[in-house]
Amino acid sequence: MLLREAIELVLMSLQHLSAVTCFVENYKTEMITKICKNNQLILTLKVSNIILSLNIMSILLFVFGADHPNKTHFSLNKDEAGNKYRAKFSERPFAAGAMRYAFTGVYSGAGIPKNGEQCVVKVYKQRANNRDIRNCLPDVAASRTAASYAERFMEVCGTRFPAHSVEFVVPLIAQMDKISRFEVLGTIPIYTNDLVSAMDFVTIEPFIGDRYQRFSDNGGYEAHGCEFLTAFSHWTLVTSDNECLVCDLQGVRKEGRYVLTDPAIHSAEQRFGLTDFGLEGIERYMESHRCNEFCRALGLSERSSEQSVREELPFSVEQSVG
């Protein structure tokens, strides 16, 4: 009897111990849950406070700060009407070519005809090229030369092909005045622009439309359906006595009328900047060119694959570079 009672007492003790252990484990779990919830609440409160602080800061910046666009000085050269312009333009480019970024902007100049009209500002991707005005001069010279050729071309064939025309816009050169920034209280600037710097030189040209196309490049590519333009390129070579070829034609087309910008010119003396590949550029382009109805109507001769520009030039290559 004593042994049985002892065993029952031990079993009862174990049951109590198990119950106590279970209670302790449940209590621990409950406390951990409460602690986690409290920590989560604290963390949530901290995050909420941070968000609230940021929102308050944003509101204060909005109320007491202002965005300022990029801005140039007045252009160094004049447009076709004899006017100089400034330009205000966006912080980020809307397009990028092989060598330059293009930004949307507006002309600025009180009392000047184009004031407030849309324009495009172009900046070299290689930022070192923007610091020397001499890098902009060949591009302006190429546009001005191409525009002159286009005028003469239209004098020759305007009456023959009244449904077609070609013209080039000539850019202005300006130096940067102010870089786009956010100003707090009108005095503290926060700069975010990493594509253009103070004192850089940029080019400004009219905005010619949204439906921008490339009709040819400076390596021989010619898009289908723009035979009038490819005949123009061929004509520039012939009328310049094989010294220049206007190519890399791009811009907008409205039916048969073309408004173009940023051309390249291959020249015997390579005087039109980084996209001028000289005599080799002319040869490469003409090797790909296929004469069309406009070429034939203008009396432009077909070129054999063996015929080179060097053979046609009235002077030697050595003389042209000497």
Side-chain angles (χ1 to χ4, degrees):
M1 290 292 292
L2 290 175
L3 180 59
R4 182 183 298 174
E5 289 176 358
I7 292 171
E8 289 177 354
L9 182 62
V10 170
L11 290 174
M12 288 177 62
S13 298
L14 290 173
Q15 288 176 354
H16 285 301
L17 180 61
S18 176
V20 169
T21 302
C22 184
F23 173 78
V24 170
E25 289 298 326
N26 290 338
Y27 180 76
K28 280 171 60 181
T29 302
E30 184 178 350
M31 290 303 295
I32 291 171
T33 302
K34 287 182 178 180
I35 291 170
C36 289
K37 286 182 178 179
N38 288 337
N39 288 339
Q40 186 176 3
L41 178 61
I42 292 170
L43 180 61
T44 301
L45 289 173
K46 287 183 177 179
V47 171
S48 298
N49 288 336
I50 292 171
I51 293 173
L52 180 61
S53 299
L54 290 174
N55 287 336
I56 292 172
M57 187 180 297
S58 298
I59 292 170
L60 289 173
L61 288 174
F62 178 78
V63 173
F64 297 106
D67 281 311
H68 294 271
N70 292 302
K71 191 174 182 180
T72 72
H73 290 289
F74 276 100
S75 59
L76 302 175
N77 53 334
K78 298 178 181 180
D79 68 359
E80 65 282 357
N83 297 313
K84 293 185 175 184
Y85 288 93
R86 306 178 74 166
K88 297 177 181 178
F89 62 99
S90 60
E91 179 182 359
R92 310 308 297 178
F94 73 92
M99 301 184 67
R100 292 189 288 184
Y101 295 112
F103 299 78
T104 56
V106 293
Y107 288 107
S108 174
I112 302 177
K114 292 181 183 178
N115 184 37
E117 292 183 14
Q118 280 187 284
C119 67
V120 174
V121 177
K122 293 182 178 178
V123 177
Y124 278 108
K125 290 181 175 180
Q126 293 290 333
R127 294 181 64 178
N129 290 335
N130 298 315
R131 294 172 191 147
D132 191 339
I133 190 175
R134 290 174 294 182
N135 293 319
C136 297
L137 296 177
D139 295 325
V140 175
S143 294
R144 186 175 288 120
T145 302
S148 177
Y149 276 124
E151 289 177 7
R152 292 165 58 191
F153 184 66
M154 293 311 301
E155 290 174 2
V156 170
C157 64
T159 55
R160 295 189 194 182
F161 314 116
H164 296 80
S165 67
V166 56
E167 63 179 280
F168 290 85
V169 299
V170 179
L172 302 174
I173 302 174
Q175 193 169 25
M176 290 300 300
D177 180 14
K178 294 181 180 179
I179 307 303
S180 63
R181 65 210 178 278
F182 185 86
E183 285 189 356
V184 181
L185 300 175
T187 57
I188 306 171
I190 301 174
Y191 294 99
T192 57
N193 192 330
D194 56 352
L195 301 179
V196 63
S197 304
M199 308 303 289
D200 281 356
F201 290 95
V202 302
T203 57
I204 309 167
E205 60 189 52
F207 176 75
I208 58 176
D210 293 316
R211 302 188 67 178
Y212 197 86
Q213 295 176 262
R214 180 177 292 278
F215 305 106
S216 68
D217 64 14
N218 63 345
Y221 164 77
E222 296 178 339
H224 177 71
C226 57
E227 287 77 12
F228 185 72
L229 286 187
T230 59
F232 165 71
S233 291
H234 188 172
W235 178 87
T236 61
L237 181 63
V238 173
T239 200
S240 68
D241 292 329
N242 300 297
E243 290 190 34
C244 292
L245 184 142
V246 179
C247 55
D248 199 10
L249 304 181
Q250 54 200 307
V252 298
R253 171 172 55 184
K254 294 181 180 179
E255 297 180 351
R257 305 186 182 280
Y258 299 87
V259 180
L260 307 178
T261 179
D262 205 15
I265 299 181
H266 297 314
S267 65
E269 298 176 353
Q270 284 189 270
R271 62 182 186 273
F272 292 106
L274 299 175
T275 55
D276 182 350
F277 298 152
L279 298 177
E280 290 186 4
I282 294 175
E283 282 194 11
R284 189 184 314 144
Y285 186 93
M286 292 307 296
E287 283 173 0
S288 301
H289 174 70
R290 296 293 176 266
C291 283
N292 55 61
E293 59 183 302
F294 296 104
C295 295
R296 289 185 283 274
L298 292 167
L300 305 178
S301 62
E302 296 274 0
R303 295 164 55 88
S304 67
S305 59
E306 293 81 15
Q307 191 175 28
S308 75
V309 174
R310 291 176 175 82
E311 292 170 352
E312 296 180 13
L313 284 171
F315 47 81
S316 70
V317 176
E318 288 75 16
Q319 288 174 330
S320 71
V321 299

